[in-house]
Amino acid sequence: MYKDFQELPVWQKAMDLAIEIFTLTESLPRKEDYGLTSQIRRSALSITDNIAEGFGRNHTADKIKFYVYSRGSANETKNQLIYGNRVGYFNSTKSEELILIIDFIIESLNKLIKTLSK
């Protein structure tokens, strides 16, 4: 049993993603500071935030709710990566690499949600 949310492999992977997203967006145009840059950084960090908050909840239903929110933020981040790639802001190879990480995070959250739902 995990004693701290930082021990959860899905949280670790999601934190790595948030850092990658931060680095990726460093080179975005200044005109995107309050647009894509801000939004994708917030959604990526929201994945870890909700995992941490869910971990700290006592009731299973509350835990599940926050893990579902985390999954939603992962999908939002994926969508923003796709958009950034399509408008030419992001390198296709890097976007695809990060999307694979997001897919892994979503799959891990789905397993966690399913296990807790039993």
Side-chain angles (χ1 to χ4, degrees), residues 67 71 103 105-115:
Y67 296 150
R71 184 178 62 194
D103 288 342
I105 291 166
I106 291 169
E107 181 181 328
S108 298
L109 287 166
N110 285 339
K111 289 177 184 175
L112 188 54
I113 292 163
K114 185 176 180 179
T115 299

Side-chain angles (χ1 to χ4, degrees), residues 32-44:
E32 287 294 346
D33 279 356
Y34 299 104
L36 182 60
T37 303
S38 174
Q39 188 64 31
I40 195 169
R41 285 179 178 180
R42 285 186 291 121
S43 67

Side-chain angles (χ1 to χ4, degrees), residues 7-29:
E7 296 174 5
L8 293 169
V10 68
W11 180 88
Q12 294 169 1
K13 196 64 137 174
M15 182 54 76
D16 291 344
L17 172 71
I19 292 165
E20 289 275 351
I21 292 292
F22 180 87
T23 302
L24 179 71
T25 57
E26 281 290 280
S27 62
L28 285 178

Side-chain angles (χ1 to χ4, degrees), residues 5 50-59 63 67:
F5 67 85
N50 284 302
I51 292 169
E53 188 160 357
F55 185 88
R57 296 294 175 136
N58 287 328
H59 301 289
K63 289 180 181 297
Y67 296 150

Side-chain angles (χ1 to χ4, degrees), residues 40-97:
I40 195 169
R41 285 179 178 180
R42 285 186 291 121
S43 67
L45 192 56
S46 181
I47 301 167
T48 59
D49 289 343
N50 284 302
I51 292 169
E53 188 160 357
F55 185 88
R57 296 294 175 136
N58 287 328
H59 301 289
T60 302
D62 286 341
K63 289 180 181 297
I64 291 169
K65 178 173 65 172
F66 282 97
Y67 296 150
V68 168
Y69 293 159
S70 183
R71 184 178 62 194
S73 294
N75 278 291
E76 181 181 359
T77 305
K78 181 177 179 177
N79 180 67
Q80 292 160 356
L81 274 170
I82 293 166
Y83 167 77
N85 186 47
R86 288 191 177 182
V87 298
Y89 283 155
F90 302 142
N91 172 288
S92 293
T93 304
K94 187 63 175 178
S95 294
E96 290 168 12
E97 174 189 320

